[in-house]
Amino acid sequence: MNALPPSRTAPEPVRTGGAQRPGRVPRLGLVLLLSVGPVVLAGLLLRHGAQWPAHPGGARGGGRGGGAAKAPEPWRLLLALAVVVAVARAVGGVFARFLRQPRVVGEMVSGILLGPSVLGAVAPHVHRTLFPAGLLPYIDAFAQIGLALFMFLVGLEFAGESRAARGPREISGVPGFGGSLGGGRAGAMIGLCGTALPYSLGVALACALYGTRAPDGVGFLPFALFLGVAMSVTAFPVLASILMERGMMHTRAGRLAVLAAAGADLLCWLLLAVAVALLRNASLAGVARTLALTTAFCAAMVLIVRPLLRTMLLRPMRWLPDGALLALVLVGVLLSGVATDRIGVHLIFGAFLFGALCPADAPGLRAVQGRIQEFTTSVLLPPFFASVGLKTELGLLGGDSALWLWFAAALAVAVAGKLAGSGLAAALTGVGGRDALRVGVLMNCRGLTELVILGIGLELGVLTPSLFTVLVLVALTATAMTAPLLDLLDRGETARNRTLLSDHR
């Protein structure tokens, strides 16, 4: 979510061709089949797998066990943070400048470079000095603060795109839906189909993995729900950054991808909340209580907090003297995260909801967003990448060829599900062939958002360290594929245009 200059590409002309009656029912039926069919399949798989007994043993809590460790000296924490921030910035810059990759891909790689897979293998003494065991909980604490603020920023962007989707702008004439289809409606359809298909494929993958790769004490239902979410998520902030870097934000494919990714991410967060509730509660009564409290919290935020925010943020000179806007936002983000964490889901949900409820047209809010974004992306998120990298051990895959086969299977499921689900849905809503492929490629971008989900899975014990490492590699590979695939589509279109031009002459 780096701050970037606005796109210089002019918006593409809007097609408003009339709908053709013969194509109405078939296209609508195909869209419904593409969205509902995978959900039905996933439901059948979940119902069948729920009858399997849980693995023996107690449920594992991820990464927080052990007795009280001696607090490290302050200089060790400061040194570790300085190294983490500097390496993330340097590697991210190298990837952005020389490899034409989003900066976040390099920052993801920087965490692995500082972890046991690279630094720990090449210079183990240096690794132990920089990151002693007692220091890791403090790095995790910085990472949680960064996650809360990052999810607030995602919520702000989601709210902005949702308001834009309700505007009068139309994307294209769409046979089968009468006249032309507004961008919000088309984006919602693409987001739904682009989530349903990879989610069902993820549940099918969970059926194959559960017998041998699921942690002890974890039931099939939370394991399958979690893996389905991991396969179907899209990194909305990274996608928006790629679009701005490439000048695609105002193109038909770019606009649809942003709207679809916003809706898909919201759906994935809701599904993840259900999975977390199942993992943190041993009984159905506990799950029902968690979901009821979550619903009550959301209702209170919408009915009470949002009107208060609107009143205070739209008239800051009266209600927020002496520049208290930044303090209000930070306190609101942190308290919202505390509330959802205590309810039994995760702090990221409260932070996201607080951002989504902030009025986008409030004076000064964009300036506050810029200040928070710069500090979060430069200082607070690198510890998160380091935290993930310190838990990623590529050595676990070296001696197990089966894990590399599972990596290939998971990558195929994740990429094929997104490309097919999103691309076909875009084509059925009237987007041209290459633009439909672009939408599918953009929706396959996972980045930081999937790392957040995988970190929650490891923390709650639904992922083993080896499976966590496999899925981190899937997230990194799928995100790195985005730019080369877009370049390939652009080159193909350029060659086609040149051929048509030469034939015309």
Side-chain angles (χ1 to χ4, degrees), residues 177-210:
F177 295 95
S180 56
L181 187 65
R185 186 177 171 188
M189 290 179 178
I190 296 170
L192 177 60
C193 296
T195 302
L197 184 57
Y199 185 87
S200 64
L201 292 176
V203 171
L205 181 66
C207 292
L209 281 168
Y210 183 72

Side-chain angles (χ1 to χ4, degrees), residues 186-366:
M189 290 179 178
I190 296 170
L192 177 60
C193 296
T195 302
L197 184 57
Y199 185 87
S200 64
L201 292 176
V203 171
L205 181 66
C207 292
L209 281 168
Y210 183 72
T212 56
R213 299 295 175 181
D216 293 340
V218 174
F220 173 78
L221 189 59
F223 180 75
L225 288 174
F226 190 89
L227 208 58
V229 172
M231 293 294 101
S232 55
V233 72
T234 295
F236 171 70
V238 179
L239 182 148
S241 177
I242 291 174
L243 291 175
M244 286 188 285
E245 287 179 355
R246 302 178 70 93
M248 294 177 61
M249 183 60 79
H250 297 293
T251 63
R252 189 162 48 250
R255 186 71 178 171
L256 276 175
V258 168
L259 295 174
D265 269 12
L266 179 61
L267 182 58
C268 285
W269 293 128
L270 294 175
L271 292 170
L272 183 63
V274 175
V276 172
L278 287 171
L279 283 165
R280 286 187 168 178
N281 295 276
S283 65
L284 289 178
V287 174
R289 174 184 173 275
T290 298
L291 295 180
L293 289 175
T294 303
T295 303
F297 171 77
C298 293
M301 292 288 286
V302 172
L303 298 177
I304 300 174
V305 176
R306 181 168 67 174
L308 289 176
L309 279 175
R310 189 163 188 85
T311 299
M312 299 176 71
L313 294 181
L314 291 181
R315 302 182 66 181
M317 298 303 296
R318 177 178 178 181
W319 298 101
L320 300 169
D322 302 325
L325 180 57
L326 177 61
L328 172 68
V329 169
L330 291 175
V331 170
V333 171
L334 297 178
L335 290 181
S336 299
V338 168
T340 51
D341 193 68
R342 298 304 300 165
I343 284 172
V345 283
H346 198 275
L347 63 88
I348 62 173
F349 300 106
F352 173 84
L353 184 59
F354 185 83
L357 295 180
C358 286
D361 53 346
L365 186 58
R366 288 299 168 184

Side-chain angles (χ1 to χ4, degrees), residues 12 171-172 183 186-195 234-235 239 243 248 251-262 264 415 417-445 482 485-486 489-490:
E12 292 186 4
I171 299 296
S172 63
M189 290 179 178
I190 296 170
L192 177 60
C193 296
T195 302
T234 295
L239 182 148
L243 291 175
M248 294 177 61
T251 63
R252 189 162 48 250
R255 186 71 178 171
L256 276 175
V258 168
L259 295 174
V415 175
K418 277 295 184 184
L419 289 179
S422 303
L424 287 175
L428 291 172
T429 52
V431 181
R434 287 190 181 274
D435 276 346
L437 286 175
R438 287 189 179 93
V439 171
V441 169
L442 289 166
M443 289 290 287
N444 186 48
C445 179
T482 304
L485 288 177
L486 289 175
L489 288 172
D490 289 343

